[in-house]
Amino acid sequence: MEPTLLFNVSMLITMTIIITPMLLPLLSKKLQNSPTTITHTVKTAFLTSLVPTMLFMHSGMESIISHWEWKFIMNFKIPLSLKMDQYSTMFLPIALFVTWSILQFATWYMASEPYITKFFSYLLMFMIAMLTLTIANNMFLLFIGWEGVGIMSFLLIGWWQGRAEANTAALQAVLYNRIGDIGLILSMAWLASSMNTWEIQQTFSTTQTPTLPLLGLILAATGKSAQFGLHPWLPAAMEGPTPVSALLHSSTMVVAGIFLLIRTHPLLANNQTALSLCLSLGALSTLFAATCALTQNDIKKIIAFSTSSQLGLMMVTIGLNLPQLAFLHISTHAFFKAMLFLCSGSIIHNLNGGQDIRKMGCLQKMLPTTTSCLTIGNLALMGTPFLAGFYSKDLIIEKLNTSYLNTWALFLTLLATTFTATYSLGMTLLVQTGYTRMITMPSMNENNPTITNPITRLALGSIMAGLLITSYITPTKTPPMTMPTLTKTAAIIITMLGIILALELANTTHTLTQPKQNTYLNFSSTLGYFNYLTHRLSSMKLLNNGQKIASHLIDLSWYKKMGPEGLADLQLMAAKTSTTLHTGLIKTYLGTFALSILIIMLST
Amino acid sequence: VGQPEMAAYLTHQQKVLRLYKKSLRHLESWCIYRDKYRYFACLLRERFDKNKDVKDMVKATELLKAGEEEFWANQHPQPYIFPDSPGGTSYERYECYKIPEWCLDYWHPSEKAMYPDYFAKREQWKKLQRESWDKEIKQLEEETPADGPKTEALPPARKEGHLPPLWWQYVTRPREIPM
């Protein structure tokens, strides 16, 4: 069969397979979904999506399909166009593989939920929106996917809606994403007005794009990918069930912002201001998140801050003008981060809901498979040579070291890499080793294949994915070939420093000195005081100013001071000054007569 | 009902014991390993035991105040909270599945037929509740002091054949984990 036809058709079949469980129950009463059918659907879609990927790896085939066009205005075309370039072709099977594993895990994790089918349908809706975003060539279609993932994130974080914290977390996610959406809409408006198209490949030109629309795109990425400034929603999003955290807030949704910047990278490539902004923002985000993760005690929050830190690293890569490397990091990160979340989910369920690492210990003996995969995931996260994270993370740090860029961003990123090693090893030591510190003796059982199969599959992916992807994808930019030995081994050395720091901290917790609060601990525990400073201040200011404008500016000023009452006051002032002359004494009046006659006589 | 009811004030003993438990829990949040925690917990216990027999209430209150201030200075920023306690990770998680009991009246007869013995008795229970409601209210009105209730505790049934006040809310409350 002709390759192009095979390529396009298999991609469309993948999308159709994903949409089928949403449509079939509407058509007939008998065809109802169940968790197993949805899992099998996603598995089939994954296998089908391997076809375009194989074709791409074999011959470098890419395609753009333009379907139906929304005939809205004469001059402006909005076609439903889908693009399968190296990014979409690689991301589709990876996202579907991770989703399949997570759905299989969720059949065990959410087994006691009354509305489990609704949960799975929500996850599937999210997947549809995410894949729409990935293969969209048109900014309009991308925006539909963008909003779709935002809404599904809201519904899934607030899954247990009886819980007040879950509702506030969902609201935080939606509001912070909305602020980012403002940037995206502004950029889309600029694109529509200046380039007259929303097709991504038609917007590229060699001339420099003005900075303002690029700022809009960066704002959108800040909101969606939780960079510093719009980051608090990501740790708060851990209120949702663990499969939601694994799928949305580690592998797929939060990379949508970075993916947008990857798609539009030729616009960014010429504008050095935008690139420097990306670099600085990414460096700040990665260090801030790594600092906050050092003192967290909830296992899901540690992994959430780890995600936030890696997203900052991806933003740094965008700032270095290396979109392909950023995409490689997205792909490898998806595997080991999802696996870390699934392992934490297994631990949490086996401990009857306990998420605090202070009350875990010696889990290596009790949950061997889960903890082995947790170790593999943490090693991959730290960038251990030849595991998945190494191929992307080491390359990023090498490139950062060998570029002519600001040293401050470099220093922050290296420090964040050290902290990554520290908190990963700290978490591993507290969770898995030592004597047990659990409060009760729950009956632990991980021998269910629904738990072990997804986790081991993702472990295999964490080990092999980096090697596989780099072997088959040709880089578009030449990587740095020669550098001093210190630069080459910088990443390994600072990771070792981080490991030594973690072991030192573990030793000090064993000594008999009573720990107390200090400034650095407080800064890290309260997440940099950011939530306390901004969450009340900005909303109170906004609402107060809105009220002032509505009541004082409009009612008080316009209707009163500028209008009738102001005129009346002026009149009153004039009248008051002139009433002093109305004394009522004859002498005054005779004096005024005399004065006026004098003036007339003098003037004539 | 079934849990300790609040009174209008705390005794000195209750305050001291609450301080002790609070400080032990925060110590546990600081000292993760059990042997280290046990060492410092014993030291803390000794400090409390030293002042156990102080009979002068003024001095005892001053000691308590100093203890509370020391606790505030040394507390942990993220104390360990049990998952089902207020502030914990599973607190109120299943609140959305706890439906009030009057929804049972709206079930379809085919659904009610799945639990015949319960629904057969349910009408009798509802009739009993309707009859005893006025008596419960009358008892509560008689027993409450003029300037408001002094404690949250509900009184037991006083007369023969009466039911305790507000028993229906207690009897028909949902399970802690509804699934």
Side-chain angles (χ1 to χ4, degrees):
Chain A
M1 199 185 197
E2 204 223 349
T4 326
L5 184 61
L6 185 61
F7 189 80
N8 291 333
V9 163
S10 51
M11 188 272 282
L12 288 170
I13 285 180
T14 313
M15 290 306 291
T16 322
I17 293 175
I18 287 277
I19 295 177
T20 314
M22 291 282 112
L23 296 176
L24 280 184
L26 300 171
L27 296 173
S28 148
K29 266 282 197 268
K30 289 193 194 150
L31 297 167
Q32 290 300 320
N33 286 334
S34 80
T36 32
T37 58
I38 296 183
T39 318
H40 288 311
T41 315
V42 172
K43 179 175 169 184
T44 322
F46 161 65
L47 293 170
T48 329
S49 72
L50 285 175
V51 173
T53 316
M54 294 298 145
L55 277 170
F56 173 75
M57 284 190 195
H58 171 73
S59 60
M61 171 177 291
E62 301 183 358
S63 83
I64 299 180
I65 312 171
S66 273
H67 282 292
W68 176 79
E69 185 189 310
W70 183 24
K71 293 194 173 28
F72 182 49
I73 302 178
M74 253 358 137
N75 307 337
F76 194 73
K77 286 184 184 303
I78 311 179
L80 185 75
S81 64
L82 310 173
K83 178 172 182 153
M84 292 295 281
D85 62 346
Q86 57 161 327
Y87 301 126
S88 331
T89 338
M90 295 304 299
F91 192 71
L92 224 55
I94 291 173
L96 285 167
F97 181 74
V98 167
T99 312
W100 166 37
S101 306
I102 291 172
L103 287 178
Q104 196 181 358
F105 181 81
T107 50
W108 170 75
Y109 193 82
M110 308 291 282
S112 60
E113 279 284 325
Y115 301 119
I116 186 172
T117 315
K118 189 161 91 158
F119 183 74
F120 273 71
S121 336
Y122 279 2
L123 284 178
L124 197 66
M125 278 290 299
F126 164 79
M127 227 25 232
I128 296 171
M130 186 69 207
L131 294 181
T132 316
L133 197 157
T134 317
I135 57 179
N137 193 26
N138 197 350
M139 289 293 278
F140 188 66
L141 197 58
L142 191 139
F143 188 66
I144 293 175
W146 186 272
E147 292 295 300
V149 299
I151 290 296
M152 295 324 292
S153 171
F154 169 76
L155 289 172
L156 283 166
I157 296 173
W159 175 252
W160 288 309
Q161 69 262 27
R163 202 175 137 74
E165 280 103 332
N167 288 330
T168 43
L171 210 54
Q172 260 186 328
V174 131
L175 288 176
Y176 277 114
N177 277 340
R178 239 321 163 236
I179 301 176
D181 290 349
I182 298 173
L184 185 60
I185 294 178
L186 283 175
S187 313
M188 280 169 65
W190 177 85
L191 271 176
S193 62
S194 70
M195 310 264 187
N196 197 28
T197 177
W198 271 340
E199 295 284 302
I200 297 185
Q201 84 274 11
Q202 293 177 6
T203 59
F204 299 153
S205 65
T206 47
T207 57
Q208 201 180 14
T209 34
T211 319
L212 197 60
L214 297 178
L215 283 182
L217 287 176
I218 294 172
L219 181 65
T222 314
K224 190 65 92 180
S225 296
Q227 304 298 311
F228 183 76
L230 297 176
H231 65 277
W233 69 272
L234 192 52
M238 297 298 120
E239 291 288 336
T242 310
V244 168
S245 309
L247 186 55
L248 271 75
H249 306 116
S250 62
S251 324
T252 36
M253 179 187 139
V254 290
V255 299
I258 307 286
F259 199 79
L260 174 73
L261 291 180
I262 293 176
R263 275 271 191 243
T264 52
H265 78 91
L267 290 171
L268 287 166
N270 293 324
N271 195 332
Q272 195 52 44
T273 322
L275 286 179
S276 308
L277 181 64
C278 281
L279 185 71
S280 320
L281 188 62
L284 185 61
S285 313
T286 179
L287 182 64
F288 181 76
T291 317
C292 294
L294 288 175
T295 52
Q296 291 299 314
N297 289 314
D298 184 352
I299 196 174
K300 283 178 73 173
K301 287 254 179 351
I302 299 178
I303 307 179
F305 280 111
S306 166
T307 308
S308 196
S309 184
Q310 297 302 307
L311 288 169
L313 193 66
M314 291 173 206
M315 190 63 126
V316 162
T317 326
I318 300 272
L320 291 171
N321 207 7
L322 296 169
Q324 212 180 15
L325 197 52
F327 181 74
L328 178 65
H329 197 55
I330 288 178
S331 315
T332 51
H333 175 258
F335 283 104
F336 54 76
K337 200 41 70 72
M339 179 171 72
L340 282 175
F341 268 112
L342 293 192
C343 293
S344 72
S346 167
I347 293 172
I348 289 168
H349 238 34
N350 277 315
L351 289 175
N352 288 334
Q355 292 182 354
D356 206 312
I357 58 175
R358 295 175 285 197
K359 295 285 186 184
M360 295 179 196
C362 197
L363 282 180
Q364 261 175 351
K365 305 280 192 319
M366 300 190 230
L367 299 172
T369 321
T370 313
T371 44
S372 317
C373 295
L374 195 71
T375 316
I376 294 175
N378 276 328
L379 286 174
L381 176 60
M382 287 196 265
T384 315
F386 309 118
L387 289 183
F390 171 74
Y391 289 96
S392 43
K393 214 167 163 187
D394 202 64
L395 280 175
I396 295 173
I397 294 184
E398 267 178 34
K399 185 68 187 172
L400 195 54
N401 273 325
T402 51
S403 324
Y404 295 111
L405 287 172
N406 52 25
T407 320
W408 175 78
L410 171 67
F411 176 64
L412 257 57
T413 316
L414 291 178
L415 201 59
T417 316
T418 316
F419 287 165
T420 307
T422 313
Y423 63 70
S424 303
L425 189 66
M427 176 176 86
T428 317
L429 285 175
L430 278 177
V431 166
Q432 296 176 232
T433 60
Y435 294 107
T436 186
R437 299 182 296 275
M438 282 181 251
I439 38 179
T440 55
M441 275 313 290
S443 57
M444 295 206 181
N445 187 7
E446 59 159 14
N447 284 326
N448 204 337
T450 14
I451 314 171
T452 44
N453 283 350
I455 292 181
T456 42
R457 233 183 290 135
L458 285 174
L460 193 65
S462 306
I463 300 172
M464 302 299 299
L467 182 63
L468 285 174
I469 300 177
T470 43
S471 313
Y472 288 109
I473 309 296
T474 46
T476 45
K477 298 194 170 122
T478 49
M481 289 291 165
T482 57
M483 62 192 85
T485 323
L486 185 63
T487 319
K488 182 80 184 166
T489 50
I492 306 270
I493 289 175
I494 49 183
T495 310
M496 298 299 275
L497 277 177
I499 292 177
I500 293 170
L501 182 65
L503 291 172
E504 269 302 309
L505 285 172
N507 272 344
T508 50
T509 47
H510 276 288
T511 57
L512 286 179
T513 46
Q514 192 168 5
K516 288 208 195 314
Q517 291 185 12
N518 56 38
T519 340
Y520 307 108
L521 201 81
N522 280 349
F523 180 81
S524 183
S525 305
T526 52
L527 319 177
Y529 310 111
F530 188 89
N531 293 17
Y532 301 107
L533 289 173
T534 51
H535 280 177
R536 286 220 178 164
L537 197 68
S538 52
S539 22
M540 286 279 293
K541 277 255 167 296
L542 259 170
L543 291 171
N544 263 338
N545 282 339
Q547 190 183 36
K548 276 207 194 92
I549 291 176
S551 68
H552 293 186
L553 191 62
I554 295 179
D555 289 343
L556 204 59
S557 307
W558 196 243
Y559 294 148
K560 288 191 173 181
K561 293 220 177 87
M562 310 277 181
E565 275 190 27
L567 282 175
D569 283 337
L570 282 172
Q571 296 272 2
L572 207 62
M573 198 169 59
K576 276 203 184 128
T577 37
S578 50
T579 40
T580 49
L581 297 170
H582 298 170
T583 49
L585 295 172
I586 303 285
K587 266 195 279 190
T588 325
Y589 293 146
L590 284 174
T592 46
F593 289 158
L595 190 64
S596 27
I597 291 170
L598 199 63
I599 289 172
I600 290 169
M601 282 207 313
L602 283 174
S603 58
T604 50
Chain B
V1 183
Q3 288 173 359
E5 289 95 2
M6 277 174 62
Y9 56 86
L10 290 173
T11 62
H12 181 82
Q13 182 197 12
Q14 278 175 315
K15 288 184 204 165
V16 170
L17 288 174
R18 284 183 185 207
L19 174 65
Y20 181 60
K21 186 164 186 183
K22 237 175 17 186
S23 44
L24 273 185
R25 286 271 182 238
H26 280 245
L27 189 64
E28 201 180 1
S29 306
W30 280 119
C31 305
I32 297 176
Y33 298 106
R34 293 313 287 188
D35 46 357
K36 183 173 171 186
Y37 166 67
R38 187 43 51 200
Y39 175 73
F40 285 108
C42 290
L43 289 181
L44 189 67
R45 174 75 195 247
E46 202 268 330
R47 286 177 67 188
F48 272 81
D49 277 341
K50 216 165 43 183
N51 301 323
K52 186 167 60 162
D53 293 320
V54 171
K55 290 288 176 240
D56 183 15
M57 276 321 291
V58 175
K59 188 153 184 295
T61 321
E62 279 170 15
L63 285 169
L64 180 63
K65 187 160 184 270
E68 289 278 0
E69 286 183 6
E70 191 186 333
F71 167 77
W72 184 258
N74 290 347
Q75 62 180 325
H76 195 281
Q78 296 170 345
Y80 177 73
I81 302 179
F82 291 91
D84 290 318
S85 305
T89 49
S90 322
Y91 182 61
E92 284 185 336
R93 182 184 274 185
Y94 306 115
E95 206 70 22
C96 48
Y97 301 125
K98 291 181 186 169
I99 320 177
E101 56 84 25
W102 48 260
C103 293
L104 285 169
D105 294 334
Y106 289 89
W107 280 23
H108 193 266
S110 63
E111 294 173 320
K112 285 187 184 175
M114 289 201 283
Y115 302 95
D117 41 355
Y118 176 77
F119 281 98
K121 279 190 282 197
R122 189 175 155 77
E123 291 305 312
Q124 298 163 7
W125 279 111
K126 279 170 44 176
K127 181 158 161 291
L128 185 63
Q129 203 257 336
R130 280 194 297 270
E131 283 163 8
S132 77
W133 178 246
D134 294 321
K135 290 182 263 194
E136 291 167 35
I137 293 295
K138 192 152 158 292
Q139 180 188 349
L140 277 178
E141 277 175 358
E142 281 165 8
E143 300 206 3
T144 315
D147 52 344
K150 287 270 180 291
T151 160
E152 278 189 9
L154 289 173
R158 302 280 177 207
K159 298 203 189 95
E160 184 71 38
H162 275 54
L163 288 163
L166 306 180
W167 62 277
W168 181 250
Q169 265 102 304
Y170 178 68
V171 161
T172 53
R173 73 191 192 287
R175 284 183 285 186
E176 281 302 310
I177 302 177
M179 287 98 73

